[in-house]
Amino acid sequence: MHYMHFNPIFSRDNFHALYLSAEWLCPIIFLAYISQGIHAPYDETDALLLLTAQRKKKVETGNGIIINLLQLCTLPLWPINKQLARKINCRLGYSISSQLVALLEWWSGTECTLYTDPESYKLYGKENAIVVLNHNFEIDFMTGWTFCERFGVLGSSKVLAKKELSFVPVIGWMWYFLEIVFCKRKWEEDRKTVVQSLRNLQDYPEKFWFLLHCEGTRFTEKKHKISMEVAEKKGLPKLKYHLLPRTKGFCVTVQNLRGTVTAVYDSTLNFRNNEMPTLLGVLNGKKYHADLYVRRIPLDTIPEDESECAAWLHKLYQEKDEFQEHYRQTGRFPGPITNPPRQLWALLNWLFWVCLLVYPLCMLLLQLLLSGSTFTVVCTFVFCLAVSVGIRWMIGQTEIDKSSNYGNKDMQMNNN
Ligand SMILES: CC/C=C\C/C=C\C/C=C\C/C=C\C/C=C\C/C=C/CCC(=O)SCCNC(=O)CCNC(=O)[C@H](O)C(C)(C)COP(=O)(O)OP(=O)(O)OC[C@H]1O[C@@H](n2cnc3c(N)ncnc32)[C@H](O)[C@@H]1OP(=O)(O)O
Ligand SMILES: CCCCCCCCCCCCCCCC(=O)OC[C@@H](O)COP(=O)(O)O
């Protein structure tokens, strides 16, 4: 995929102004949005921005459904030409995930800085890799996607994801067609399905990164406390900034992708000024500063024996903990900054969908609301409300204060 490098011609303010001018004000949507009292608008974000973010969500969900339907249409192709079906689905998947990348990079203007050695940098995007990334933030998936985009593997990127995410409209449905590996986080049930799904990727026709959040759940103080009690029982060093990693998924991934994947990218993410970014913040135009430290580790340096591989992962997380300590002391990760520039394609893809859908959606909405039929108006209002509540539920999937019980005390008691 040819990349155009360019100096950012849109400043954030210009971009918002440009977008607003192209945007219809739709008081009904605005009322639908405010009437739910979903969340207090951010101080520095005015009503216009809230409205635009809300309209954008509808547009992006709308085109996400269209892309899911197109993915569905590729089903007859799978038994005839699986590799072609996979390539088509990578591009359809790209059209969805790149919109969230555009949201992060262009709408919120979030800066993503990469710390890595220049020799490894040359290999990123040119080989299959397993990415081990800490799981502390609500938008680490968006930051991950941004780097996938910059190295040309966004459409084919994979992850070991909890089964619950497969039910999230648009993103979760897209992942089925990208052959994402889902797990129930119950090893006795996961063992077989995870191994089979991993083996299925051995002949994948596109370069891909396979993401593993080895902690298995987002960091919370309560889960950290429980996790450190487990570490003490196992005689493992305590971690300050991470949960103790679950090793079985990593070991089985290394075991089944050996020969397909050439390296592990140990990735440690943090945000400047102790920011705790949120998807709502990004949607409302807040700018964050992500720093990612990546070490490329050749796969053949990782032990094949399961217990040695588990010990290797525990040591890796101890090193990651030290990198986070270094970051908190110095405000940066070790090593040189080698920053891949933002790509234009994500922005162009987003603008394409906005231009394609905003006008027809608005006209349809206005016609329904001006139909003169009370029943139609009420149904339209209810539909807008339902879609907004649905989108808010999807955004809630990223919020740590709504996180699962996995790794909590009661779950730990059940596991014993
Ligand atoms: C150049 C740029 C480089 C990089 C750019 C960055 C990223 C780009 C990469 C890719 C694409 C980006 C983004 C992709 C898009 C979206 C991302 C989506 C995110 C969603 C991800 C998730 O859903 S995370 C949750 C699901 N995933 C996992 O859980 C993975 C980790 N878990 C495992 O691997 C597990 O082993 C398992 C799930 C396979 C099985 O878990 P289970 O719990 O059933 O069994 P385990 O054996 O693992 O656990 C029991 C062992 O753990 C010990 N234990 C018990 N309680 C605790 C506790 N509270 N804390 C810690 N440990 C505990 C117990 O003692 C057992 O120990 P053993 O020694 O017996 O194993
Ligand atoms: C502009 C478009 C706006 C439309 C809304 C988009 C909403 C996208 C929601 C997709 C979310 C998919 C990625 C979520 C990744 C994630 O962070 O999952 C959490 C799990 O790892 C662990 O869960 P837990 O055990 O609860 O910590």
Side-chain angles (χ1 to χ4, degrees):
M1 190 182 285
H2 170 67
Y3 282 96
M4 292 186 275
H5 294 274
F6 80 116
N7 293 319
I9 46 178
F10 290 129
S11 75
R12 188 166 147 238
D13 297 335
N14 295 349
F15 195 68
H16 284 174
L18 174 84
Y19 190 81
L20 284 174
S21 61
E23 178 69 325
W24 284 57
L25 288 186
C26 227
I28 299 296
I29 291 185
F30 181 64
L31 287 174
Y33 184 78
I34 295 302
S35 66
Q36 296 157 55
I38 286 180
H39 68 101
Y42 283 90
D43 304 344
E44 69 273 21
T45 309
D46 63 20
L48 281 186
L49 214 49
L50 278 177
L51 165 69
T52 310
Q54 176 62 6
R55 167 74 59 65
K56 222 172 41 55
K57 285 185 273 182
K58 283 186 168 25
V59 167
E60 299 215 355
T61 310
N63 78 61
I65 301 291
I66 292 171
I67 293 167
N68 286 152
L69 290 172
L70 290 173
Q71 288 181 305
L72 214 55
C73 297
T74 65
L75 280 179
L77 184 59
W78 283 80
I80 302 163
N81 187 336
K82 185 172 85 166
Q83 300 299 52
L84 177 60
R86 282 171 153 176
K87 288 176 182 277
I88 293 171
N89 275 287
C90 281
R91 277 136 194 89
L92 292 173
Y94 174 86
S95 191
I96 292 178
S97 46
S98 67
Q99 293 187 54
L100 286 170
V101 170
L103 192 73
L104 187 75
E105 292 194 334
W106 299 98
W107 179 259
S108 91
T110 291
E111 286 174 12
C112 300
T113 304
L114 176 62
Y115 296 75
T116 195
D117 87 275
E119 284 314 302
S120 302
Y121 180 92
K122 292 173 190 164
L123 296 170
Y124 298 156
K126 299 185 179 64
E127 62 184 348
N128 294 335
I130 295 168
V131 175
V132 174
L133 179 66
N134 56 302
H135 209 6
N136 299 66
F137 304 100
E138 294 187 0
I139 65 162
D140 43 25
F141 75 100
M142 293 179 89
T143 319
W145 271 343
T146 290
F147 285 103
C148 288
E149 163 65 355
R150 297 188 187 191
F151 290 104
V153 295
L154 178 60
S156 56
S157 65
K158 314 251 173 263
V159 58
L160 179 54
K162 63 179 184 182
K163 181 70 181 166
E164 295 87 331
L165 292 176
S166 66
F167 306 113
V168 175
V170 182
I171 307 276
W173 302 345
M174 163 186 85
W175 277 344
Y176 269 119
F177 294 95
L178 293 179
E179 299 166 87
I180 292 286
V181 181
F182 289 108
C183 63
K184 294 177 181 170
R185 297 188 287 192
K186 293 187 180 72
W187 183 238
E188 57 281 358
E189 295 176 48
D190 286 334
R191 179 199 303 270
K192 204 168 161 215
T193 51
V194 168
V195 168
Q196 187 48 55
S197 303
L198 288 166
R199 285 178 181 165
N200 177 52
L201 298 176
Q202 286 170 352
D203 66 342
Y204 207 78
E206 301 271 350
K207 289 285 176 274
F208 67 88
W209 291 349
F210 187 89
L211 173 65
L212 268 169
H213 289 300
C214 295
E215 305 96 310
T217 186
R218 266 87 51 94
F219 183 99
T220 65
E221 287 308 327
K222 180 181 178 186
K223 293 184 179 184
H224 182 247
K225 180 175 173 298
I226 293 163
S227 189
M228 291 307 104
E229 288 165 6
V230 175
E232 199 167 348
K233 276 185 219 160
K234 291 171 179 271
L236 288 165
K238 292 199 172 184
L239 303 172
K240 191 175 174 185
Y241 303 107
H242 297 88
L243 301 180
L244 198 67
R246 311 295 180 111
T247 59
K248 294 190 185 70
F250 174 77
C251 297
V252 84
T253 301
V254 168
Q255 193 179 19
N256 287 279
L257 292 184
R258 204 178 283 274
T260 307
V261 157
T262 44
V264 165
Y265 294 171
D266 168 39
S267 305
T268 307
L269 174 69
N270 211 319
F271 287 85
R272 289 187 201 158
N273 318 314
N274 288 317
E275 290 165 350
M276 282 307 281
T278 63
L279 179 53
L280 275 179
V282 169
L283 277 170
N284 287 295
K286 283 189 83 170
K287 176 173 184 164
Y288 300 108
H289 300 81
D291 287 316
L292 184 76
Y293 178 46
V294 178
R295 295 187 300 167
R296 181 182 180 276
I297 303 166
L299 203 79
D300 49 24
T301 64
I302 299 173
E304 297 199 23
D305 172 74
E306 193 171 333
S307 57
E308 288 174 20
C309 182
W312 184 92
L313 185 67
H314 282 303
K315 186 168 181 315
L316 185 85
Y317 264 76
Q318 288 150 31
E319 292 167 0
K320 292 169 83 74
D321 225 47
E322 288 160 16
F323 299 145
Q324 292 287 21
E325 184 60 33
H326 180 280
Y327 188 86
R328 274 167 181 72
Q329 300 301 330
T330 64
R332 70 186 311 277
F333 284 117
I337 290 178
T338 39
N339 229 18
R342 301 187 282 191
Q343 304 301 329
L344 193 58
W345 289 109
L347 179 64
L348 292 178
N349 175 70
W350 177 35
L351 289 174
F352 163 74
W353 284 108
V354 166
C355 298
L356 186 72
L357 292 180
V358 162
Y359 183 72
L361 265 181
C362 290
M363 293 319 290
L364 171 67
L365 199 63
L366 282 176
Q367 280 166 7
L368 287 170
L369 294 171
L370 301 177
S371 63
S373 147
T374 311
F375 176 72
T376 308
V377 171
V378 169
C379 286
T380 306
F381 190 79
V382 168
F383 176 75
C384 283
L385 203 59
V387 170
S388 299
V389 170
I391 290 173
R392 185 66 188 85
W393 174 81
M394 284 166 67
I395 294 169
Q397 296 305 304
T398 65
E399 292 169 348
I400 295 178
D401 60 3
K402 297 188 175 85
S403 73
S404 73
N405 250 340
Y406 181 75
N408 269 336
K409 191 107 182 138
D410 41 336
M411 295 295 281
Q412 172 59 6
M413 294 298 278
N414 297 343
N415 284 349
N416 281 340

